[in-house]
């Protein structure tokens, strides 16, 4: 690890709102799995994940808007999570923590039914076909989400990327999953101020200024 990375890593350890289990801890039975309510939040409020959260910009907005829910911003990049964790502390958001793991290992961090809702916000599109399995709505990921979500738990996807959006539609249709709402131009819809329309990240605002269309869908997972 470079000196700078080591310094950043040391800094992340100072923040108690960043949880970063080692692979060994995850694979040998992660103590918080199944105990997020009691061990981390100290309440029984619903748990919402933002996957591939980066700096957790969306989670910061959701957590401020919904004190009645708990939020966990998940990403593998510690330096990004650190920025969000600092902001959450400054804003005294005690209903938001940051989890540094590979999404591939999400089932090692959460028990079946422990999660109420999932947000996937502007995921990496991985446009090359050979890397399609890395897309956060590929089959292998959807099966993992189903294994931690409550029955009827919602998954929200917000993206500027048409190819990623179409890919997700295709997969969900192939798997016969229920898409509740879907739009290729979110802001052309006559919607109230929802969590999808009412909250915008810095890049989302920039893309909108440049004329991009934001795509959004929410769906349920009912996989075998
Ligand atoms: C394009 S960024 C979007 C960040 C944020 N959601 C936003 O809207 O600004 C995608 C993020 O997903 C994370 N990511 C991609 N694949 C991942 C994986 N398999 N496990 C953990 N994080 C992942 C990357 O580290 C990156 O921070």
């Amino acid at each position: 690890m470079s000196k700078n990375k080591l310094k950043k890593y040391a800094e992340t350890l100072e923040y108690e709102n960043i949880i970063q289990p080692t692979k060994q801890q995850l694979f040998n039975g992660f103590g918080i799995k199944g105990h997020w309510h009691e061990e981390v939040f100290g309440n029984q409020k619903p748990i919402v994940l933002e996957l591939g959260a980066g700096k957790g910009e969306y989670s910061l907005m959701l957590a401020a808007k919904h004190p009645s829910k708990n939020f966990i911003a998940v990403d593998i990049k510690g330096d990004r999570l650190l920025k969000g964790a600092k902001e959450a502390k400054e804003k005294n958001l005690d209903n938001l923590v940051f989890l540094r793991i590979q999404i591939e290992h999400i089932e090692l961090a959460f028990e079946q039914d422990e999660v109420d809702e999932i947000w996937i916000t502007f995921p990496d599109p991985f446009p090359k076909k050979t890397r399609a399995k890395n897309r956060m709505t590929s089959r292998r990921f959807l099966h993992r989400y189903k294994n931690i979500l409550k029955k009827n738990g919602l998954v929200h996807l917000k993206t500027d990327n048409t190819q990623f959006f179409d890919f997700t539609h295709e997969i969900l249709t192939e798997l016969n999953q229920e898409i509740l709402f879907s739009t290729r131009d979110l802001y052309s819809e006559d919607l109230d101020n929802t969590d999808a329309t009412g909250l915008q990240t810095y890049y989302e605002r920039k893309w909108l200024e440049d004329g991009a269309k934001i795509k959004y869908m929410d769906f349920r997972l009912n996989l075998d």
Side-chain angles (χ1 to χ4, degrees), residues 138-182:
S138 68
R139 281 166 190 261
R140 66 180 186 139
F141 282 113
L142 293 179
H143 278 279
R144 287 176 168 93
Y145 306 158
K146 181 246 159 192
N147 287 339
I148 60 168
L149 263 176
K150 284 208 171 104
K151 194 172 189 291
N152 288 330
L154 271 188
V155 184
H156 309 261
L157 167 68
K158 200 171 176 186
T159 179
D160 59 311
N161 189 287
T162 307
Q163 191 198 357
F164 189 99
F165 194 73
D166 290 346
F167 168 82
T168 306
H169 250 281
E170 253 170 58
I171 296 265
L172 291 171
T173 308
E174 275 168 29
L175 293 170
N176 206 16
Q177 299 302 294
E178 183 186 5
I179 299 175
L180 283 94
F181 177 73
S182 169

Side-chain angles (χ1 to χ4, degrees), residues 36-37 41 43-49 66-72 95-96 113-117 150:
W36 282 87
H37 285 110
F41 295 109
N43 63 51
Q44 292 296 319
K45 295 174 186 176
I47 289 180
V48 183
L49 306 186
H66 297 289
S68 59
K69 296 182 183 181
N70 298 314
F71 293 86
I72 304 173
N95 61 335
L96 170 59
D113 292 340
E114 197 164 21
V115 174
D116 292 80
E117 234 175 293
K150 284 208 171 104

Side-chain angles (χ1 to χ4, degrees), residues 50 52-54 75-77 80 101-104 121-122 124:
E50 184 191 2
D75 205 287
I76 193 58
K77 297 271 169 71
R80 293 182 189 175
I101 57 163
Q102 288 280 155
I103 313 285
E104 283 82 346
T121 51
F122 304 98
D124 287 322

Side-chain angles (χ1 to χ4, degrees), residues 58-69 71 93 95-96:
Y58 221 85
S59 289
L60 283 156
M61 295 185 287
L62 285 167
K65 187 175 169 188
H66 297 289
S68 59
K69 296 182 183 181
F71 293 86
L93 287 171
N95 61 335
L96 170 59

Side-chain angles (χ1 to χ4, degrees), residues 99-141:
L99 173 64
R100 185 179 183 199
I101 57 163
Q102 288 280 155
I103 313 285
E104 283 82 346
H105 298 150
I106 201 81
E107 291 159 289
L108 301 174
F110 296 93
E111 202 56 84
Q112 174 79 62
D113 292 340
E114 197 164 21
V115 174
D116 292 80
E117 234 175 293
I118 291 178
W119 278 84
I120 302 170
T121 51
F122 304 98
D124 287 322
F126 293 108
K128 284 191 183 158
K129 247 193 164 165
T130 49
R131 302 201 62 197
K133 72 172 176 32
N134 295 324
R135 296 178 195 153
M136 238 175 258
T137 52
S138 68
R139 281 166 190 261
R140 66 180 186 139
F141 282 113

